[in-house]
Amino acid sequence: IKAVVGTTDFVKIVDVLKNKGYKLILATNPILPLSAAINRMAFVELKTNDFEYITAFENSTYCKPNPKYYEEILEKNNLNPKDCLMVGNNVLEDMIAKKSGIETYLVTDVLENEYNLDYSKYNQGTLKDFYKKVCEL
């Protein structure tokens, strides 16, 4: 997700989820090395210890929007897709997780939809909306 909406939003969401005991995975498209993913995280003031797993080309076989990308994350982290939620802003690359049985949430304030796909079927809202949902968990 792009940092246009403010870094505080990301940090607050991650902090709330971590404090509630959720396992957080940064599922960024693994086309760059882990060091580049870590550098990108710094732009939104996130740290490697915020996440239990971060995808990168060193640990991933598939890329978005291939559903096998998400299946590989599930397998490597011993996760049931029904217990997971993919939060992202790209209609094609992030919402494809639904094909792997993962529930999705589309962040609309920095929406990426280069193919003008219909996204009405996905849970969606702004990052601030998602923060409210996280606080209610």
Side-chain angles (χ1 to χ4, degrees):
I1 297 176
K2 294 178 183 170
V4 184
V5 293
T7 59
T8 307
D9 298 322
F10 297 111
V11 174
K12 287 191 322 190
I13 289 169
V14 168
D15 285 347
V16 169
L17 290 170
K18 278 177 45 180
N19 289 335
K20 291 184 180 226
Y22 287 93
K23 180 177 188 167
L24 301 180
I25 293 173
L26 183 62
T28 186
N29 213 354
I31 58 174
L32 298 171
L34 182 58
S35 59
I38 291 168
N39 285 336
R40 288 180 67 207
M41 289 169 44
F43 288 119
V44 291
E45 299 176 15
L46 295 173
K47 301 173 276 326
T48 55
N49 65 355
D50 288 329
F51 301 93
E52 294 189 35
Y53 187 78
I54 300 169
T55 58
F57 74 57
E58 294 96 335
N59 63 10
S60 301
T61 309
Y62 302 96
C63 288
K64 297 176 183 181
N66 190 333
K68 289 182 179 183
Y69 165 75
Y70 293 99
E71 293 163 15
E72 184 175 49
I73 293 170
L74 294 168
E75 183 181 319
K76 286 184 174 186
N77 290 277
N78 197 29
L79 297 170
N80 182 333
K82 293 177 181 166
D83 297 330
C84 299
L85 175 67
M86 174 60 192
V87 179
N89 67 317
N90 188 297
V91 177
L92 176 62
E93 292 183 1
D94 299 327
M95 299 302 103
I96 197 80
K98 209 161 184 62
K99 287 196 175 189
S100 299
I102 299 170
E103 190 54 53
T104 58
Y105 185 91
L106 182 64
V107 178
T108 57
D109 34 4
V110 285
L111 185 69
E112 292 181 9
N113 189 11
E114 65 182 291
Y115 299 107
N116 294 314
L117 300 171
D118 177 22
Y119 56 89
S120 61
K121 63 186 171 197
Y122 302 111
N123 294 322
Q124 59 185 278
T126 65
L127 205 54
K128 290 192 187 309
D129 294 334
F130 185 67
Y131 175 71
K132 289 177 191 170
K133 289 181 180 292
V134 164
C135 289
E136 294 169 0
L137 292 175

